[in-house]
Amino acid sequence: LGTKTALDFPGESRGLLKPADELWGSERVTVAYGQGLSSTPIQMAAAINVIANDGVYVAPKLVRATVGPDGTMTDIAPSATHRVVSEAAAQQTAVMMEAVVCSSEGTANAAQVDGLPIAGKTGTAFKAAENGTYFDENGDRIYYASFAGFFPADDPQVTVLVAMDEPPAASDQRFGGRAAAPIFAALAPSLIHELG
């Protein structure tokens, strides 16, 4: 987070994340629950993948292979990797993320798919407005709701991030577990079918 990915995609944002030694006052605490930082969807999916990959970061890429004029397929070089957290920490986090979806107390029950263990995390953020606040011209808060998850939780193969930009602020649909998680649940069976 806070740096561009290896995609080298034009216009890619770094997101916002101050180095730990530059955090001051309440920033030292609020960053722990997601305030004072921002990430791009590809950064967030890559971060979720660290947990799915037992603590190892795998740089994202957009192209798996190229096809030459003669039809020869050439695989793109493997992505760079490095360990971010221990395998034990990643596995413990994955268990907690599975409880977010699959336990009755989880905030993302709407992401459940029958017979499929899913691990995920909801996100409900205030969105900064051009006026420098988190409120629109009518005085209503502006939200960004998301759900990121991977499946099967016990042998991750697919990661999906669903994000809703400015869901209805006055309803319970402004939360990631209500706005984005059901879309994840609708997409998962199609992806399973497509990937065989």
Side-chain angles (χ1 to χ4, degrees), residues 94 97-99 101-102 111-120 147 149-158 184 188 192:
M97 290 173 66
E98 188 172 357
V101 178
C102 299
Q112 291 180 4
V113 175
D114 286 342
L116 183 64
I118 295 170
F147 176 81
F150 55 85
F151 60 87
D154 52 357
D155 181 24
Q157 301 296 314
V158 177
F184 178 97
I192 293 166

Side-chain angles (χ1 to χ4, degrees), residues 11-49:
E12 181 182 6
S13 172
R14 299 169 50 95
L16 300 172
L17 180 64
K18 286 184 179 180
D21 61 352
E22 292 180 20
L23 296 174
W24 57 273
S26 63
E27 285 181 323
R28 293 185 186 123
V29 178
T30 58
V31 73
Y33 53 85
Q35 290 188 344
L37 67 111
S38 69
S39 65
T40 66
I42 195 72
Q43 288 171 328
M44 187 55 60
I48 293 293
N49 279 343

Side-chain angles (χ1 to χ4, degrees), residues 66-74:
T66 59
V67 179
D70 63 354
T72 304
M73 186 175 289
T74 305

Side-chain angles (χ1 to χ4, degrees), residues 94-156:
V95 167
M96 290 185 272
M97 290 173 66
E98 188 172 357
V100 167
V101 178
C102 299
S103 80
S104 58
E105 295 85 34
T107 57
N109 298 127
Q112 291 180 4
V113 175
D114 286 342
L116 183 64
I118 295 170
K121 177 69 181 88
T122 60
T124 304
F126 296 139
K127 180 180 173 184
E130 289 186 24
N131 62 19
T133 72
Y134 296 111
F135 298 92
D136 66 16
E137 63 279 352
N138 299 322
D140 296 323
R141 281 209 187 269
I142 309 170
Y143 290 89
Y144 187 86
S146 63
F147 176 81
F150 55 85
F151 60 87
D154 52 357
D155 181 24

